[in-house]
Amino acid sequence: MSYETKQLRGMAYLLAECYGKPHWQAHYLSECPTKAGVDRYGLDEGARCVVCGQNATNAHHAPPKGVMRVFPLETGRGTFPMRPALLAVCGSGTTGCHGDIHAGLLKVEWAWDDPGFSDAWWDGMLSEGAAHDPGLYACGCWRVTDRDGNVVREARA
């Protein structure tokens, strides 16, 4: 991986890696974060849970919105403001798959298909203007694992 420690801004790599990645059947209703810290979102029509495939009722922020609302990805090509990805899920923050994610029973992370894609993201070649671009699914997917690290599902558009 070609990221530099300073690019992480003290954040764990797996958390920082989720910022700016494509949404899963959900979207922000505004291009800019709100000053109040509550960014409204919508579910896409027919949205299905990224974990189990059932009808989605909510959206999970990856990483959770309390970590950092906007992650400034610094690259040799400039600094790109990245927001958490939104993932359609069933349940609430305490029930269903959404509850299982918050309880630590499930983990959702972005997984690149090839380390070269990760290098290109952190170097700014893929990230420039690509925040939440569905085209990134050609390079990776959302991987859901249980607490033992077993893959439950890999989701890509």
Side-chain angles (χ1 to χ4, degrees), residues 52-64:
C52 69
Q54 297 298 313
N55 288 332
T57 55
N58 212 320
H60 175 69
H61 293 74

